[in-house]
């Protein structure tokens, strides 16, 4: 492809509708490609529908053979599905990314400082910036974490920040994930597949690499070794093969060359954690745990948990093992705390937040509650204690009955819900399942989950996971609810 | 290495070897029934009897014929020893240890599993079945090649090896037992055309026919077949060969301990090695081959439980 082709992109079919009131990631209202998108438009979007569909078929085959799958809860145990993949990449130009990167770094550093403070001196509570009752009453607040001082003060080693792009083209934070965020393996695998499908386009576009993530993660994990041990034993703790993110646990442990352990592979002796190896017990220094706090230690939390390690809390408190992410980080991504995050950024960093958040209403306030309940069908209501899109009610799409039930639930336990206005997520050209003469692709809603690694250095993986709602008009992008994903290209220039 | 991982490696290997061995048995016997002289009675019944799964078969099938028996042996997921079930079990074990094997090996296992899910009864029709088994065998060879070509020689490789070798040693004794104990026709047929054809089929099942001819020439004699499959130190599917490798693998595993010490597994493998070293083919045939084969199988079991007790058992 020559330079002229890039500057004069082939016009796309009229069947592709650019809706006003929605931000299209690839085209402006005059149907011109946005910065950085011209090459993808000129090379990929003009292809014959059959050829585009063929790309997807080849990609599906690769994912299936590589076993890049996730498990769906509520279906027959262990049923593996591939995460639907859309071969039209999402492009983020270098300037846009630079801003995002700065905003993400700022945000995650502030959230980490908040956790350190909440379980330490509690300054922010004394200063009344975040209500003490809200923090101490939050189910994510862990007494067991009070007084913990992890190496370098790092509670949040890995953060996944969910961003949406509004009609104004700005990115907003929808949700923070600083417990056990997942999805990064798809970022890396999507690129592997994309590089095989469209090698010339990937190369010519100057896409920033994502393959260093596992090495960076391992470095951050090693920094957490108690006593600064030089070659620590690091392991990844998984709930096991029925967990929806099991593939990711396998993938990351493989890429990092560390053991993948389940709770019953570990045992605590004398406040130390050991793995049961064929030659006896071997001490573990750092656990990258992908198990929720609640399940981590049956002695302290849920006695019915078979997934965790009895006594690990005591081992952590004794300073003999580190876990990442640290204990109790859920206090920072709790949906009720979310409304205070801009204040948290200002409080710890003395800077204005670079990334705005989606307007968030706390329903425990009676006035706010009254306002929201009056127009419930205009809001998205989220339970504060669930993730993965479970239990979310989208007002404009909800049935009368669902709205009634939501109202009752809110009135019963107002602390358990927040409400946000319906964000019109940006759209992106996405290949259709069957074309029906409407053209091979159409706009579908997307979000973005970038991943941030915190340690001595803060690193943001270029891009992140772009999830796409494959059903027309749908705003739910979660893989557990029929979403797919796209490769996300951050351009070098 | 984690005990759980070692256990999964061991069982993934066993199931894989079992699947391969099943495929060998079914395909060769199938050939035998097609090529050989018209047998007396229903040949598919004797194949069922050999498998030891006759009761299970009768629970699910009305008639004993080529279609039902092949389906049962190859495709039926209700049969835990069917080739498809073994492949599933091997892959399920491998899934929890993907991070400890090479991506290439996982890819082979996963692709085989995905293909096995798609297998249809049509593949077992008379005109297709030969190709089917041939291609399947090639897949197993490819997996063996990937294991040898991509896995570092460490504990993982050794536990995989232990699974393969124990299963292989047991299966070679079963193969001999089938011929000697069940297929043995009437006394007057010994040394006759049916007998010879059957011994040739036994050798072929173990990919040993050509190696046999190189070593013993064209004449197929019971004693030499037994010598080859039980006592030959150089043939890769003989019991003796497997035991030699087993001893090496067990030694390496024991030496990898932080404080190496005499291992009970050594005692167990010494038992089997001793049993095979102390006899030759004519002696065991004279003393009763079936009993000897049972002894070998029991020794294999002893090694298996010694390995389990020492390295795999989970408190």
């Amino acid at each position: 492809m020559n330079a002229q082709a890039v500057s004069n992109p082939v016009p796309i079919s009229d069947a592709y509708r650019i809706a006003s009131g929605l931000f299209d990631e690839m085209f402006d209202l005059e149907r011109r490609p946005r910065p950085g998108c011209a090459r993808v438009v000129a090379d990929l979007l003009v292809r014959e529908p059959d050829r585009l569909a063929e790309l997807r078929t080849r990609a599906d085959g690769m994912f299936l053979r590589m076993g890049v799958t996730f498990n769906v809860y509520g279906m027959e145990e262990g049923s593996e599905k591939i995460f639907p993949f859309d071969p039209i990449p999402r492009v983020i130009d270098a300037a846009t990314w630079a801003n995002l990167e700065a905003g993400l770094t700022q945000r995650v550093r502030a959230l980490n400082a908040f956790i350190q403070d909440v379980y330490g001196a509690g300054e922010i509570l004394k200063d009344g910036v975040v209500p003490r009752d809200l923090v101490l009453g939050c189910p994510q607040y862990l007494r067991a974490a009070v007084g913990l001082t992890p190496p370098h003060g790092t509670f949040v080693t890995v953060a996944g920040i969910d961003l949406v792009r509004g009609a104004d083209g700005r990115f907003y934070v929808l949700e923070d994930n600083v417990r056990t965020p997942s999805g990064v393996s798809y970022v890396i695998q999507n690129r592997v597949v994309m590089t095989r499908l469209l090698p010339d386009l990937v190369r010519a576009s100057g896409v920033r690499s994502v393959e260093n993530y596992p090495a960076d993660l391992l470095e951050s994990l090693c920094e957490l070794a108690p006593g600064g041990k030089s070659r620590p034993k690091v392991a990844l703790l998984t709930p096991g093969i029925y967990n929806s993110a099991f593939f990711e646990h396998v993938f990351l442990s493989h890429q990092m060359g560390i053991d993948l352990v389940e709770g019953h592979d570990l045992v605590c002796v004398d406040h130390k954690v050991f793995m049961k190896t064929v030659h006896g017990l071997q001490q573990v220094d750092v656990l990258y745990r992908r198990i929720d706090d609640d399940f981590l230690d049956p002695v302290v939390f849920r006695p019915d948990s078979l997934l965790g390690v009895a006594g690990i809390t005591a081992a952590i408190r004794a300073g003999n093992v580190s876990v990442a992410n640290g204990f109790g980080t859920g206090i920072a991504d709790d949906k009720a705390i979310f409304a205070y995050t801009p204040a948290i950024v200002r409080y710890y960093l003395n800077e204005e937040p670079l990334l705005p958040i989606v307007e968030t209403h706390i329903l425990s306030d009676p006035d706010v509650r009254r306002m929201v309940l009056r127009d419930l069908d205009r809001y998205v209501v989220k339970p504060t204690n669930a993730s993965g899109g479970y239990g979310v009610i989208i007002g404009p799409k909800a049935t009368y009955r669902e709205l009634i039930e939501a109202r009752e639930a809110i009135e019963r336990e107002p602390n358990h819900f927040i409400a946000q206005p319906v964000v019109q997520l940006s759209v992106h050209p996405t290949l259709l399942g069957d074309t029906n003469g409407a053209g091979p692709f159409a706009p579908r809603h997307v979000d973005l989950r970038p991943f941030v690694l915190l340690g001595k250095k803060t690193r943001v993986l270029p891009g992140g996971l772009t999830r796409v709602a494959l059903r027309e008009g749908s705003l739910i992008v979660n893989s557990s609810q029929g979403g797919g994903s796209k490769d996300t290209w951050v351009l070098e220039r | 290495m984690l005990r759980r991982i070692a256990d999964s490696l061991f069982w993934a290997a066993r199931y894989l070897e079992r699947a391969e061995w099943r495929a060998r048995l079914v395909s060769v016997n199938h050939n035998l029934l097609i090529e050989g002289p018209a047998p007396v009675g229903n040949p598919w019944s004797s194949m069922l009897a050999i498998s030891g799964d006759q009761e299970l078969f009768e629970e699910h099938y009305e008639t004993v014929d080529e279609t039902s028996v092949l389906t049962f042996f190859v495709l039926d997921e209700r049969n835990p020893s069917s080739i498809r079930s073994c492949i599933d079990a091997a892959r399920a074990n491998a899934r929890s240890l993907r991070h400890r094997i090479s991506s290439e090996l996982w890819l082979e296992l996963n692709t085989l599993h995905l293909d096995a899910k798609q297998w249809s009864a049509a593949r077992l029709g008379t005109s297709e079945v030969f190709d089917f088994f041939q291609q399947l065998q090639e897949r197993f060879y490819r997996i063996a090649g990937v294991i040898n070509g991509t896995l570092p020689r460490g504990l993982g490789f050794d536990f995989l090896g232990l699974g393969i070798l124990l299963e292989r040693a047991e299966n070679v004794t079963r193969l001999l037992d089938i011929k000697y104990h069940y297929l043995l026709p009437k006394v007057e047929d010994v040394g006759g055309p049916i007998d010879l054809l059957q011994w040739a089929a036994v050798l072929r099942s173990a990919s040993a026919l050509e190696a046999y001819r190189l070593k013993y020439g064209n004449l197929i004699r019971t004693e030499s077949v037994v010598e080859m499959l039980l006592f030959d130190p150089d043939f890769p599917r003989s019991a003796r060969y497997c035991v030699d490798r087993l001893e090496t693998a067990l030694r390496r595993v024991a030496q990898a301990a932080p404080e190496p010490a005499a291992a009970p597994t050594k005692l167990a493998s010494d038992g089997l090695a001793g049993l095979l070293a102390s006899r030759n083919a004519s002696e065991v045939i004279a003393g009763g081959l079936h009993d000897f084969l049972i002894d070998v199988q029991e020794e294999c079991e002893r090694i298996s439980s010694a390995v389990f007790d020492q390295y795999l058992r989970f408190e």
Side-chain angles (χ1 to χ4, degrees):
Chain A
M1 182 171 51
N2 57 36
Q4 199 183 2
V6 175
S7 57
N8 298 312
V10 186
I12 48 150
S13 142
D14 290 342
Y16 185 83
R17 235 175 260 164
I18 310 270
S20 58
L22 291 178
F23 184 85
D24 190 297
E25 296 278 344
M26 205 151 251
F27 299 101
D28 64 17
L29 287 170
E30 277 78 52
R31 310 176 74 80
R32 286 181 309 233
R34 293 193 183 276
C37 296
R39 198 182 292 269
V40 171
V41 174
D43 184 310
L44 189 60
L45 295 192
V46 296
R47 295 189 185 193
E48 293 292 313
D50 288 358
R51 305 299 299 275
L52 281 171
E54 186 193 309
L55 288 177
R56 180 172 51 204
T57 309
R58 281 177 54 207
D60 287 353
M62 287 186 226
F63 283 115
L64 195 61
R65 276 196 310 282
M66 296 191 297
V68 184
T69 55
F70 68 97
N71 295 337
V72 184
Y73 295 122
M75 294 179 65
E76 115 189 54
E77 225 178 52
S79 68
E80 300 163 43
K81 296 267 173 271
I82 60 166
F83 193 11
F85 176 73
D86 184 79
I88 304 174
R90 191 242 197 106
V91 181
I92 300 177
D93 65 277
T96 305
W97 179 252
N99 287 331
L100 273 182
E101 191 171 6
L104 290 162
T105 305
Q106 178 197 52
R107 187 170 182 84
V108 176
R109 285 176 49 215
L111 294 178
N112 191 68
F114 173 67
I115 299 164
Q116 248 185 305
D117 187 20
V118 160
Y119 294 119
E123 302 289 349
I124 199 168
L125 308 180
K126 288 178 199 153
D127 291 339
V129 176
V130 179
R132 184 181 295 269
D133 292 351
L134 185 66
V135 172
L136 301 190
C138 173
Q140 309 306 330
Y141 175 81
L142 290 192
R143 274 180 199 292
V146 173
L148 282 182
T149 52
H152 316 292
T154 309
F155 275 87
V156 179
T157 298
V158 187
I161 307 296
D162 288 350
L163 304 176
V164 295
R165 209 167 191 182
D168 57 0
R170 288 192 77 184
F171 280 98
Y172 293 83
V173 179
L174 182 68
E175 201 170 286
D176 301 296
N177 297 276
V178 293
R179 295 174 225 183
T180 55
S182 64
V184 75
S185 54
Y186 298 109
V187 175
I188 300 168
Q189 291 289 2
N190 283 356
R191 181 64 51 79
V192 169
V193 166
M194 220 41 189
T195 308
R196 288 189 206 166
L197 287 182
L198 298 163
D200 294 339
L201 184 56
V202 174
R203 193 180 307 140
S205 300
V207 180
R208 286 182 61 185
S209 166
V210 294
E211 71 174 4
N212 226 28
Y213 180 86
D216 290 344
L217 173 58
L218 184 59
E219 196 181 314
S220 299
L221 292 170
C222 288
E223 284 172 11
L224 295 173
K229 198 168 172 181
S230 64
R231 294 196 55 186
K233 182 79 192 166
V234 183
L236 192 157
L237 176 61
T238 173
I241 63 164
Y242 296 118
N243 185 265
S244 65
F246 182 69
F247 162 73
E248 177 153 308
H249 307 161
V250 168
F251 177 81
L252 289 175
S253 52
H254 201 182
Q255 295 293 311
M256 293 191 280
I258 63 174
D259 280 291
L260 177 64
V261 301
E262 296 177 12
H264 54 259
D265 291 320
L266 300 176
V267 62
C268 291
V269 182
D270 296 338
H271 300 332
K272 292 177 184 140
V273 178
F274 297 88
M275 326 192 290
K276 300 173 191 168
T277 77
V278 293
H279 293 307
L281 299 180
Q282 185 181 5
Q283 191 174 352
V284 181
D285 302 304
V286 181
L287 269 178
Y288 178 37
R289 49 95 173 213
R290 298 291 298 258
I291 293 186
D292 292 341
D293 284 341
D294 278 0
F295 293 93
L296 202 48
D297 190 342
V299 174
V300 178
F301 308 110
R302 295 177 60 143
D304 58 334
S305 171
L306 300 172
L307 304 175
V309 192
I312 192 171
T313 313
I316 294 168
R317 296 195 64 93
N320 290 329
V321 67
S322 296
V323 291
N325 287 349
F327 253 167
T329 52
I331 191 66
D333 68 11
D334 185 83
K335 291 188 175 73
I337 300 287
F338 184 72
Y340 296 92
T341 51
I344 286 172
V345 172
R346 287 185 203 104
Y347 185 80
Y348 292 106
L349 305 181
N350 212 9
E351 295 167 3
E352 268 308 296
L354 300 171
L355 274 172
I357 66 166
V358 171
E359 188 186 352
T360 301
H361 304 291
I362 296 179
L363 297 177
S364 49
D365 181 325
D367 293 337
V368 175
R369 184 160 74 238
R370 217 167 296 128
M371 175 194 85
V372 169
L373 286 177
R374 200 166 47 225
D375 295 313
L376 194 55
D377 58 348
R378 288 206 224 145
Y379 290 94
V380 178
V381 175
K382 296 177 177 176
T384 53
N385 54 4
S387 61
Y390 291 98
V392 172
I393 302 284
I394 297 181
K397 313 245 159 168
T399 63
Y400 182 68
R401 194 190 167 79
E402 283 167 337
L403 286 174
I404 298 280
E405 282 169 3
R407 174 184 301 269
E408 283 169 6
I410 291 167
E411 277 168 348
R412 207 163 41 237
E413 294 177 305
N415 296 334
H416 288 192
F417 296 92
I418 55 156
Q420 294 172 329
V422 177
V423 186
Q424 286 305 326
L425 270 59
S426 58
V427 293
H428 195 290
T430 300
L431 212 53
L432 295 174
D434 62 300
T435 56
N436 280 336
F441 50 85
R444 290 289 180 266
H445 292 292
V446 292
D447 77 349
L448 179 65
R449 175 180 286 183
F451 292 88
V452 183
L453 290 175
L454 203 60
K456 284 184 193 161
K457 288 182 229 162
T458 305
R459 287 177 274 223
V460 186
L461 177 67
L465 182 64
T466 292
R467 296 181 297 180
V468 52
L470 296 172
R471 278 193 294 272
E472 186 172 7
S474 170
L475 292 168
I476 303 262
V477 294
N478 301 76
S479 56
S480 47
Q481 316 259 330
S485 79
K486 287 171 169 288
D487 193 12
T488 310
W489 291 3
V490 171
L491 303 186
E492 278 160 7
R493 279 195 294 269
Chain B
M1 161 151 307
L2 290 172
R3 286 179 171 250
R4 179 176 51 83
I5 296 295
D7 188 63
S8 295
L9 280 165
F10 181 77
W11 283 103
R14 284 202 85 142
Y15 279 117
L16 197 62
E17 179 71 19
R18 196 170 294 174
E20 174 175 349
W21 204 265
R22 282 273 153 173
R24 287 169 173 278
L25 274 185
V26 175
S27 91
V28 168
N29 282 296
H30 180 256
N31 277 353
L32 190 61
L33 291 170
I34 288 174
E35 288 174 20
V40 194
N42 186 342
W44 302 105
S45 304
S46 54
M47 209 161 131
L48 260 184
I50 288 167
S51 72
D53 294 324
Q54 189 151 15
E55 274 182 36
L56 184 67
F57 178 90
E58 283 164 358
E59 273 175 40
H60 297 293
Y61 295 86
E62 308 254 300
T63 50
V64 183
D65 56 21
E66 177 168 342
T67 309
S68 62
V69 172
L70 279 182
T71 304
F72 178 71
F73 280 141
V74 179
L75 304 176
D76 200 332
E77 283 164 76
R78 296 168 305 190
N79 173 9
S81 320
S82 74
I83 295 172
R84 184 186 264 162
S85 297
C86 288
I87 289 172
D88 277 1
R91 188 262 188 187
N93 274 288
R95 189 168 170 235
S96 62
L97 52 81
R98 275 176 71 169
H99 64 298
R100 293 302 301 246
I101 58 180
S102 59
S103 323
E104 290 91 340
L105 179 53
W106 165 253
L107 197 66
E108 283 299 330
L109 283 173
N110 196 41
T111 311
L112 179 59
H113 157 81
L114 291 170
D115 291 350
K117 282 209 307 208
Q118 304 295 323
W119 288 345
S120 67
R123 299 286 303 274
L124 304 178
T126 314
S127 55
E128 306 248 348
V129 70
F130 181 81
D131 281 347
F132 173 80
F133 281 117
Q134 170 136 352
Q135 283 162 17
L136 184 56
Q137 189 56 56
E138 284 165 10
R139 301 290 289 271
F140 289 125
Y141 284 136
R142 208 157 75 193
I143 290 172
V146 170
I147 289 174
N148 276 308
T150 63
L151 294 191
R153 273 29 177 190
L155 281 174
F157 186 82
D158 285 330
F159 278 103
L160 212 55
L162 288 176
I164 293 171
L165 293 165
L166 273 172
E167 187 73 24
R168 190 173 290 175
E170 280 193 47
N171 276 312
V172 82
T173 61
R174 290 214 182 91
L175 176 70
L176 279 171
D177 213 16
I178 284 164
K179 165 64 186 117
Y180 208 75
H181 197 66
Y182 297 95
L183 283 185
L184 191 64
K186 298 167 217 96
V187 181
E188 62 266 29
D189 284 338
V190 173
I194 298 180
D195 195 34
L196 285 182
L197 213 64
Q198 285 177 346
W199 278 120
V202 164
L203 286 169
R204 208 180 286 131
S205 298
S207 296
L209 185 57
E210 290 156 22
Y212 179 94
R213 287 197 171 123
L214 275 177
K215 191 158 182 176
Y216 300 99
N218 261 341
L219 186 63
I220 295 185
R221 293 168 56 241
T222 308
E223 199 181 301
S224 306
V225 175
V226 171
E227 188 72 38
M228 174 116 199
L229 293 183
L230 287 184
F231 300 104
D232 193 307
D234 300 320
F235 181 67
R237 292 187 174 274
S238 80
R240 167 73 195 279
Y241 181 95
C242 293
V243 172
D244 288 351
R245 264 58 190 179
L246 262 174
E247 287 189 295
T248 313
L250 286 172
R251 195 165 54 240
R252 273 199 305 254
V253 170
Q255 279 165 355
E259 291 148 21
T265 48
K266 170 140 190 349
L267 275 180
S269 68
D270 283 351
L272 180 55
L275 184 66
L276 286 170
S278 66
R279 312 283 170 79
N280 62 36
S282 51
E283 279 170 27
V284 299
I285 291 172
L289 181 61
H290 176 70
D291 291 340
F292 183 77
L293 294 172
I294 297 295
D295 287 348
V296 172
Q297 285 170 21
E298 280 170 1
E299 290 295 335
C300 287
E301 274 312 307
R302 271 188 58 202
I303 298 175
S304 193
S305 38
V307 167
F308 177 76
D309 285 340
Q310 187 162 7
Y311 299 117
L312 311 178
R313 183 196 292 281
F314 225 75
E315 289 79 35

